[in-house]
Amino acid sequence: MLTRIAGGRVVDPTAGRDSVSDVWIEDGRIVATPDRGPDRTIDAAGCIVMAGGVEVHSHIAGGNVVLARLLLPELGVAEPDAPNPHGSGRDVGLLYARMGYTTAVEPAMPPVNALATQLELAEIPLLDRGGLCVMGNDDQLLQLLRDRESADAVRDLVALNVATSRALGVKVINAGGADAFKDGAVRFSLDDEVPAYGLTSRQILDGLLDAVEALKVPHPLHVHCSNLGLPGADDSLIETLAAAEGRRIHFAHAQFYAYAAVDKDNPLTGGFRSAAPRIAEALARHPNATLDIGQVVFGQTATISLDILRQFSGRKAASPRKWIVNAGDAEGGGIVPFRYRDRGPTSSLQFAIGLEMMLLSPDPERTILTTDHPNGGPFTAYPRILHLLMDKEARDREVAAHPKVAAERSGLAAIEREYTLSEVAQLTRSGPAKLLGLTDRGHLRPGARADVAVYRDQADRTAMFARAHRVIKDGTVIVEDGEVVAWTRGRTLQLSVEADAGMARRTESYLQGRFGAGLSSFTVPDAAFPGRRADEPVFEAVACRT
Amino acid sequence: MTAWIDGRAVERDAAVAAAAELLAGARSPLVAGLVAEAAAVQVAYDLARTLGASVDPAASAAIYADLGALASAGAMATTPAETRGRADLVLVVGRAPWASGLARDLSADAPVRGRAAGRPRTLVALGGTGDGAVQHVAYPAGEAGIPAALGLLRGLVAGRVAGPHPLADLAARLRDALYGVVVYDPAEIGALGAEMLTGLVKDLNETTRCFALALGDPYQGRTAVQVSAWSTGQGPRVGFGRGRPEHDPWRFDAARQVAAGEVDAALWLAALPAPLPAWAGTLPTVALLGAPTGAEARVVIGVAVPGETEGAALWHPGRAVIAWQEAGASAAGAPPSAAATLADLHARLAAAPPRRSAATSELSASC
Ligand SMILES: [Zn+2]
């Protein structure tokens, strides 16, 4: 069937396109303007037409997401009859789709819990999904590095973990930090040693950066640095960027590191000010680097992280006063409920810093919008955040209601920039798609997947982005006027990577010795998803870089 | 033979049709047991949503002891493999960890990872002595029971209880350990005990490392907890009677509901062994069983035994995660899986919607 999305303002920065025109779809793909008439026309007059949104970092599946729901049942049923971003996978799919998002990545899939994470991802309807495999605190990798095994061995172990867990990429979370925590540490930085292995965090990071490059994983190593959220954390990010030595690197939720210590001699007691200019400047000088924001949103949330050292250190700020820290087979996880106090001094400053980072961005494709859901707040805040980026007046009104400290310690108030629709598309579409190496989405050029969001052009950008007029996934209309009209199931994107047979044998014997269960216990076979029809496979392969 | 109606063997298809009819005609059905692979538990929740049924896993008693403590106090826990690899002190609480064999297994080796590597592992027991084969030091829980003893121990560890006390020496051992692990069975010590235990473990982490390790239940309860969390956003005892899932561990207790006459039909799912509830013989019930005799309920359908006659995603007690388990050697001739059977049933019910139709719940979920 040939479909014409007619007469909308089509915004595709990858093609330099921002004009009223048509988008054509056939067999689930965008096609060039054909020489015949459409079988179906979707009227987009008065609308903005963009590619479907792409999420790179949102905690939407996995053991810690499950535990967060059980720790804070009240959060998931705040409004009983409304879908809830802290609720079921079905609600998550619906709420993303309603905003015009069609792809979302869970960034923290531990290989030891890959099967449950993948089962959960598969139950998020409407979207294509993916998971990043977390390494950097697991004993097998740390042993290889400690024993100075070859870079090839490290590469092979990473490949095996990605293939076995059916991941889309690789993430490292405070490399070595969880191990250090298990041995009693509560502070840990890039050049600190993991006591039992005699390895620094830098050495682990270095090994993983090399492995991801050697494997030609499209998504660069996804890095959660040490010292998240502490005054002076900007030093951690900048040191880690230097440690990458030009290799591609992605910084997760960078807002939580854009905190310069006010008193350099007593960083932990003097509070923090915005380091957004410093990070923007570093990003401009390092084309190998990308980041996502981790924008803070006011209100109650749960922080979910595999950085158990950091979560343990933050336990006393838990609100309500209950928290989880699990020492897992590698990282485990920590869940600390947190309330970003509405217009509180600290949360207002965090809020300002996130916006400042995006507004100072030298390249919106490399400063991707996230809230690190649910860590900075729910992903459902995106429409409001986009509104503030696009509208200086609305921003001034918002900031005027915040305590003065936010304006004094950040540069937000002085920034005149207003995001254009093309820049919004870079921030939420083309940037994240390029970052994940998904060449078939994030744009509307012929050959792209027919994932399209159509928004009614309104001055109230919050309302515009909150409920899309139409959302099309693989050529099927799934949302009309903000309501789901077709419950399609989407696919889970996995990287095509060959595992080395020799490393598989070594790992088999390692796992047997450690768990009394071999590699087959760690797999994610198609047979685990028997509810899916054969012509509707759960997984879709993504090729490595050539 | 894999299907029966009123104790008489029938074609499988006839039994599935009868099951669909029985459930579609119910005003207030119950889906219970869920002693099965993750895929079957998933379809069971989907089916319950379509039926407007309530759901209650066989493992609920054990599950809710832990979930109650979790929702009030949080947790600080570790895994069986990290316990084996790192623990220099294991405190065994109650009887169940001895009966399960875990305590004995943990006594067989010593820490090899982390700062305790090279140290011996000491086993100590509170409120239950183990078998004579395992060397350990036993501390009595006292007449007030295990939760009270854990509370006292917590006070001693935090220095709130002073002076000579029979448990003072145990408190000192816990403080001195580098990686202590407290092993318990939530079903044995209850929510109050689990909450005390969590408090104790958290306090110890002010100065050292100590974690809780809960025994799993034998009925795939931890699979049900996870599937429920991602399918409903909540714990496993839910009702879909109003379209959207409502979590209420008291209201949706299957035994209570049956006793109060609140349900008029049931689906019992036990692809793995579990005690059949008494109501299966009195309430109009469809039973999906891995080892059926045919006499268990009005409609009985045999299903594959997950991890034996069919590969399956199951709770792995040694790894404490949902893990893939290959089929054993004797898979030939086994009946279809519980997941496939439930999917068949679900398709029939969706085609001829019961009172609470799929369309209604779809609508309510998207409004
Ligand atoms: Zn995150």
Side-chain angles (χ1 to χ4, degrees), chain A residues 81 90 322-323 329 483, chain B residues 71 79 82 202 244 362 366:
Chain A
D81 283 312
R90 183 188 173 87
K322 52 181 179 178
W323 47 272
D329 288 322
E483 298 300 327
Chain B
T79 66
E82 283 296 74
K202 286 187 168 182
R244 63 182 160 82
E362 213 80 304
S366 60

Side-chain angles (χ1 to χ4, degrees), chain A residues 62 67 110 117 124 127 149 198 265 267 307 321 324 400 418 467:
Chain A
L67 279 175
T117 308
I124 297 174
L127 312 177
E149 291 218 30
D265 297 326
D307 186 347
R321 302 183 65 79
I324 299 173
E418 291 184 333
R467 295 172 75 90

Side-chain angles (χ1 to χ4, degrees), chain A residues 96 122 147 230 240 299 311 348 376 380 401 408 464 511:
Chain A
Y96 267 114
D147 297 345
L230 301 180
T240 306
Q311 292 296 73
S348 294
T380 44
E408 287 163 4
M464 166 175 151
L511 295 174

Side-chain angles (χ1 to χ4, degrees), chain B residues 18-359:
Chain B
E21 195 177 333
L22 187 154
L23 292 169
R27 287 191 311 119
S28 181
L30 164 70
V31 174
L34 310 190
V35 193
E37 73 274 21
V41 175
Q42 182 70 59
V43 191
Y45 274 94
D46 296 348
L47 185 73
R49 184 187 288 271
T50 300
L51 284 170
S54 59
V55 185
D56 188 14
S60 277
I63 289 170
Y64 277 99
D66 241 11
L67 291 189
L70 189 76
S72 56
M76 190 143 192
T78 192
T79 66
E82 283 296 74
T83 303
R84 274 195 305 279
R86 292 181 185 265
D88 55 344
L89 180 78
V90 174
L91 168 58
V92 179
V93 175
R95 291 285 320 154
W98 295 103
S100 77
L102 179 63
R104 176 189 288 249
D105 290 350
L106 289 172
S107 73
D109 44 28
V112 293
R113 280 192 299 283
R115 61 180 178 175
R119 283 193 167 200
R121 174 173 301 146
T122 306
L123 252 72
V124 291
L126 176 66
T129 46
D131 48 81
V134 177
Q135 200 190 353
H136 66 282
V137 183
Y139 296 86
E143 277 174 18
I146 286 173
L150 287 167
L152 201 54
L153 191 55
R154 189 180 176 191
L156 286 162
V157 161
R160 286 192 300 269
V161 177
H165 190 280
L167 296 182
D169 168 57
L170 176 55
R173 284 176 187 268
L174 286 164
R175 276 198 307 261
D176 291 344
L178 296 177
Y179 197 103
V181 175
V182 185
V183 184
Y184 71 106
D185 179 359
E188 180 180 7
I189 71 171
L192 185 62
E195 197 176 327
M196 286 292 176
L197 194 152
T198 296
L200 166 68
V201 163
K202 286 187 168 182
D203 287 351
L204 282 162
N205 278 279
E206 295 294 328
T207 54
T208 185
R209 291 292 168 263
C210 186
F211 302 97
L213 177 63
L215 293 187
D217 68 274
Y219 305 126
Q220 293 297 313
R222 306 227 162 192
T223 301
V225 166
Q226 294 184 65
V227 174
S228 167
W230 71 60
S231 303
T232 73
Q234 301 162 82
R237 266 184 182 162
V238 293
F240 288 97
R242 295 182 202 169
R244 63 182 160 82
E246 292 175 282
H247 180 236
D248 190 332
W250 178 82
R251 204 168 123 211
F252 299 119
D253 173 345
R256 191 204 66 77
Q257 280 195 290
V258 172
E262 290 171 7
V263 289
D264 58 351
L267 172 76
W268 172 255
L269 169 60
L272 290 164
L276 186 75
W279 48 255
T282 52
L283 191 70
T285 297
V286 177
L288 266 56
L289 302 171
T293 65
E296 290 90 346
R298 169 120 18 120
V299 180
V300 177
I301 304 174
V303 294
V305 180
E308 285 181 29
T309 58
E310 185 133 324
L314 289 171
W315 182 255
H316 190 297
R319 292 187 49 212
V321 292
I322 294 175
W324 184 249
Q325 197 166 322
E326 302 281 3
S330 61
S337 68
T341 308
L342 284 166
D344 183 2
L345 191 54
H346 192 203
R348 293 179 201 230
L349 287 164
R355 196 173 57 89
R356 302 214 180 269
S357 70

Side-chain angles (χ1 to χ4, degrees), chain A residues 54 67 83 98 106-107 205 235 309 323 348 372 374 384 399 405 441-442 470 478 516:
Chain A
V54 178
L67 279 175
R98 173 181 281 182
E106 159 58 55
L205 178 78
D235 290 339
L309 181 143
W323 47 272
S348 294
D372 185 16
R384 173 70 181 157
V399 169
V405 66
R441 61 195 77 199
R470 293 287 184 275
I478 57 169

